[in-house]
Amino acid sequence: MKTPRLTLVGAGPGDPDLISVKGVKALAAADVVLYDALAHPELLKHVPEQAIKIFVGKKKGVCQFKQEDINALIVENAQKHGHVVRLKGGDPFIFGRGHEEILYARFFGIETEIIPGISSSYSVPELHGIPLTRRGLNESFWVVTGTTREHELSSDIPIAAKSSATVVVLMGMTKLKEITEIFLKEGKAELPVAIIQNGSLPEEKVAIGKINTIVSIVEEKQLSSPAVIVIGEVVSLHASFWSEVKEHKK
Ligand SMILES: C[S@@+](CC[C@H](N)C(=O)[O-])C[C@H]1O[C@@H](n2cnc3c(N)ncnc32)[C@H](O)[C@@H]1O
């Protein structure tokens, strides 16, 4: 009888090489893997052939598994088979509900381990040469959700818009217009914005502009989710910012 245990592993932003060595070792020692849509399927090559692999992500944008079902699957599989690896996109503790899964498993006396991942929030901009902080330009960055539990835009965005912080919005694509209107109210029509969809993957798409142009650029280039929205002066450090701005002048 194997000891029931859970290892929560961050898969990184998309590129399967951006997982940690420790994450790969955990996958190689798994009896069961529960994985999300944002965890690259190629990562399953690290999992032993005989291990059970269960997809618990969204299909065509629809959640087939509720969080309660996933929690129950973790416990059930750990008790039945031993080592469950829960593989989640980016970092499991950044808008990932990883903490809820850890607490649930602990409640059932299951041993847990946490292996952080590289979050899309900072790595996707970084892969495009956009630093979230830059001496002289800003003093902080905010990572905010575009979609709260009530499906609303976070009330933190209007507060962040008043500051000089870089504002990174995850899960915000359906509310992009609303987000730009908040910054327009603050007189920030000229503030640079970058949007990167499927960052670090071959199907990646990028839109670069300003608060007053980004909505039409996104429509023109047909960007959608999953995407990271980066708002702030640091976006002007992107290699093609000035040429893009010239092309889409308002
Ligand atoms: C539920 S959140 C999970 C975030 C994840 N835990 C992380 O740390 O990256 C999902 C959102 O993350 C962002 N995201 C995740 N992977 C991405 C990628 N490769 N490119 C762009 N955005 C990504 C999108 O905003 C997406 O809607």
Side-chain angles (χ1 to χ4, degrees), residues 10 12-15 36 38 58 88-97 117-125 127 143-147 168-173 195-201 204-205 224-229:
D15 176 344
D36 277 354
L38 287 174
K58 287 182 187 173
K88 293 176 91 87
D91 183 279
F93 274 19
I94 308 284
F95 298 123
R97 307 194 72 173
I118 299 177
S119 175
S120 65
S121 57
Y122 57 82
S123 65
V124 167
L127 288 165
V143 179
V144 192
T145 179
T147 311
V168 178
V169 186
L170 299 189
M171 298 171 278
M173 285 305 273
I195 300 185
I196 304 142
Q197 178 188 347
N198 287 320
S200 82
L201 292 166
E204 181 177 85
K205 280 185 171 181
S224 59
S225 299
V228 170
I229 304 170

Side-chain angles (χ1 to χ4, degrees), residues 95 97 100 145-154 171 175:
F95 298 123
R97 307 194 72 173
E100 293 165 52
T145 179
T147 311
T148 62
R149 210 162 22 172
E150 293 76 30
H151 307 286
E152 302 284 333
L153 200 61
S154 166
M171 298 171 278
K175 303 211 171 64

Side-chain angles (χ1 to χ4, degrees), residues 131-144 159-168 230-234:
L132 294 192
T133 66
R134 172 72 192 261
R135 207 178 161 102
L137 283 186
N138 66 347
E139 289 157 14
S140 67
F141 64 87
W142 294 46
V143 179
V144 192
I159 307 170
K162 289 185 192 298
S163 74
S164 66
T166 303
V167 181
V168 178
V230 191
I231 307 169
E233 292 299 344
V234 289

